[in-house]
Amino acid sequence: MPANFPDYLDVDYTDGEGETAEDYPSINHKLEKAIEVTKQGLEQYENPAVMWTGGKDSTLTLYFVKEVAERYDLELPPTVFIDHYQHFDELMDFVEHWADEWDLEVVYARNTDIGNYVEENDLEPGDDIPIDALSEHNQHHVRNILEYEEDSFPFLLDTYVGNHLLKTVALNDALEEYDIDGIISGIRWDEQEARADETFFSPRHDPEIYPPHDRIQPILQFDEADVWEAFWHFVVPETVEEYPDEGYVPQDYDDLPNGLTHEDIPVSPKYFEGFRSLGSEISTDKADSEPAWLQDLDNTTERAGRAQDKEDLMERLRDLGYM
C-alpha cells in the first residue's frame, strides 16, 4: 500500500449513495458516469489495477479503462485475474487472447498453496482438502477469520471456505504484493442485494480484514440489458474494425457480420452458447439455448445457472473482501 493512503485521495465515498440504475435513465447517462468514475480513479490512485474475470461486466469495465487512458493520456493499469483453478477452458483462452490483443499486463492471483496441493494429490473438484495440510496463512483464515471447525473442506469454488480461500485470499494477497491502492471492479447494483448499497468509490480500509484499498466501481448504474446494449452498440463497433459502425446484435451463435469470427469479438463465446454468468465450469450451467442478450432478462435471474446464489453467503464473503 502506498504511503499515506488514503490521505492523498480526493474522492467522494458517498457518490452513488441511495441511487439505483433508474437514476441514470439512458445508456448515454450510464456511459458518461462510467467515464467520469474511471477517469477520476485513474487520476487519483497511485497504483490502481483492473479486476478482470473475462466476463461481460469486467470486460466492459476494462473497455472504459482503456478508452479513458487513451483519451486522457493516462497510464493503463495492470489487470488482476483471479485464477481459482475451476474456470472454463474457453474463458482462460479468451483472457489470454485479449490480453495479447490489447497488450495488457495481467497479474494472475492464485492461492498457490491450495493449487499445489491439488496438483500434487491429483484432486478433482469436490475432493476434500485437510485443513492441517494448508499453510499457516490459509489455516489462519479458515480457523480464525471464517471460524470453520471441520477437519477438511471440499475443493469447490461455490462454498464458503472454498470461495474465500480461492478468490478472496488470492485477491488480497495480490493487493498486498503489488501495493494496489484502488481496484477497478465491474460490479453492478442490480446483480445481488449484497451489492445494492455500494458506492462508486467504496473504502476497504480495515487492515485486520484486507490490505487497505478502495474499490472503484464505474458500472454500478448498468443493469444486465444495459451491459449488452453497450457491447453491441459501443464496445464492439469501436474496438473491432470490421464491425458495423451503427452496431449489430447477433441473433445466434454463428450470426457475426462481415465474415468475423468469435476470436475477433471481445465477448466470450460462452455467452453466445446461452450462459449468462461465468462462475466455474463445475458449478455454472447455461441459462438457456439462446445467446445471453436475447433471453428474458427482466423475468429471470442472471445467476440462476450458478450453484452459489445465497444472499447471506454473499454478504459474509463481501465483509471479508470478496468482490
Side-chain angles (χ1 to χ4, degrees), residues 50 56-65 184-186 218-219:
V50 185
K56 62 185 184 303
D57 299 321
S58 66
T59 302
L60 176 61
T61 301
L62 178 57
Y63 162 78
F64 287 125
V65 172
I184 305 172
S185 164
I219 68 164

Side-chain angles (χ1 to χ4, degrees), residues 84-86 114-115 118 123-129 153-159 162 166 282:
H84 51 61
Y85 306 104
Q86 295 180 17
I114 294 177
V118 167
L123 298 189
E124 297 290 335
D127 290 345
D128 284 341
I129 298 178
F153 72 97
F155 174 52
L156 285 173
L157 179 67
D158 292 313
T159 62
L166 292 170
I282 307 304

